[in-house]
Amino acid sequence: MRRDVFQAIADPTRREIIQLIAHKKLNLNAIANQFDISRPAISQHIKLLEECGLITITQEGRDRYCQMEFKKLQEVAKWIEQYSIFWNKKLDALEQHLNQKDK
Amino acid sequence: MRRDVFQAIADPTRREIIQLIAHKKLNLNAIANQFDISRPAISQHIKLLEECGLITITQEGRDRYCQMEFKKLQEVAKWIEQYSIFWNKKLDALEQHLNQKDK
DNA sequence: TATAAGTGTAAGTAATTGCTTACGCAAAAT
DNA sequence: ATTTTGCGTAAGCAATTACTTACACTTATA
């Protein structure tokens, strides 16, 4: 089973879950209520998110609170950043071209 | 068929393809030669990458050169960035905590 | 003109994914 | 003590994914 961050954020439902718990940790039902799909389906998404380190779960009585682990998102951020120099370069080239036209 | 950037970069082979063509546009065979999987398999990955806007293909005779479209990666960058304030906040909190300990 | 090189696509397949329903269990509320 | 709430997990299933091999079609080369 592949369990990397890129795979995890590929699913739109999981991205919505991330959005939900970004500001405030929520228990599983609170999350599941926001979706049309079944609670077990959300439970499985949560399990995957935990297994790949994107969230941590803290048990409080019968509730399991899900909290974002943003540092794990930095893996993606880092991957993206290595390419940002390229799009900046392209923008710079465009800028330079436009400046030339001005002359 | 889902054809979004998040789905596209979820596959490790496709991320390797991106890495390969980041610096220099390459024709399909040049890309395929870098992998153990078959040429048609790469062809299918390339097709998906093009369909979701991550690369553009320019035909030159019998060669099809693949070029990165970095601006499309910004979709992911933007998604990530919205959360970067959270991990910064957390780092700030940690920093503050450490500073307190110093006193 | 015959052959080689670069490629897309179709069909088949095994593995994976994203769901469902059904069940069971522990903690809280009544 | 019984019921309700919050949850995990198993089994089943349809759709999708990531490949493969086989074939056909251009474009370049000999």
Side-chain angles (χ1 to χ4, degrees):
Chain A
M1 233 174 292
R2 226 163 65 209
R3 216 113 277 198
D4 62 287
V5 196
F6 290 94
Q7 176 68 17
I9 66 169
D11 186 86
T13 303
R14 284 194 289 268
R15 288 202 300 279
E16 278 193 70
I17 293 176
I18 289 172
Q19 177 70 29
L20 273 173
I21 63 175
H23 300 80
K24 189 177 183 306
K25 67 176 180 178
L26 296 173
N27 67 354
L28 198 134
N29 264 350
I31 297 167
N33 286 338
Q34 304 296 314
F35 296 89
D36 287 336
I37 62 178
S38 71
R39 193 215 13 107
I42 297 296
S43 182
Q44 285 155 22
H45 281 306
I46 293 291
K47 189 180 179 187
L48 188 149
L49 287 170
E50 194 200 14
E51 279 172 5
C52 83
L54 268 173
I55 69 173
T56 47
I57 298 174
T58 48
Q59 187 98 31
E60 291 181 29
R62 60 188 169 187
D63 297 271
R64 306 186 81 218
Y65 283 95
C66 305
Q67 184 169 21
M68 257 315 274
E69 284 302 325
F70 292 107
K71 66 175 178 296
K72 193 71 184 179
L73 269 184
Q74 289 186 71
E75 254 177 52
V76 184
K78 215 176 149 188
W79 183 81
I80 285 286
E81 260 164 46
Q82 80 178 296
Y83 297 115
S84 66
I85 55 156
F86 291 107
W87 72 63
N88 287 335
K89 207 193 325 194
K90 209 161 185 182
L91 287 176
D92 286 355
L94 175 69
E95 210 173 309
Q96 215 162 347
H97 174 71
L98 290 173
N99 286 343
Q100 294 256 310
K101 269 177 85 180
D102 282 349
K103 285 180 191 165
Chain B
M1 232 174 292
R2 225 164 64 209
R3 217 112 277 197
D4 62 288
V5 196
F6 289 94
Q7 176 67 18
I9 66 169
D11 186 85
T13 303
R14 284 194 290 268
R15 287 202 300 279
E16 278 193 71
I17 293 176
I18 289 173
Q19 178 69 27
L20 273 173
I21 63 175
H23 301 79
K24 189 176 182 308
K25 67 176 180 179
L26 296 172
N27 68 352
L28 198 135
N29 264 350
I31 296 168
N33 286 338
Q34 303 296 314
F35 296 88
D36 287 336
I37 60 179
S38 71
R39 193 215 13 106
I42 297 296
S43 182
Q44 283 155 23
H45 281 307
I46 293 291
K47 189 180 180 187
L48 189 147
L49 287 170
E50 193 200 14
E51 278 172 7
C52 83
L54 268 172
I55 69 173
T56 48
I57 297 174
T58 48
Q59 188 98 30
E60 290 182 29
R62 60 190 167 184
D63 298 87
R64 306 187 81 217
Y65 283 95
C66 305
Q67 185 168 22
M68 257 315 274
E69 285 302 325
F70 292 107
K71 66 177 178 294
K72 193 69 184 181
L73 269 185
Q74 288 186 72
E75 254 178 52
V76 184
K78 215 176 148 189
W79 183 80
I80 285 286
E81 261 164 44
Q82 82 179 297
Y83 296 115
S84 66
I85 54 155
F86 291 107
W87 73 61
N88 287 335
K89 207 188 334 189
K90 210 162 184 180
L91 287 176
D92 286 356
L94 175 68
E95 209 173 310
Q96 217 163 345
H97 175 71
L98 291 172
N99 287 342
Q100 293 255 311
K101 269 177 86 180
D102 282 350
K103 283 177 192 166

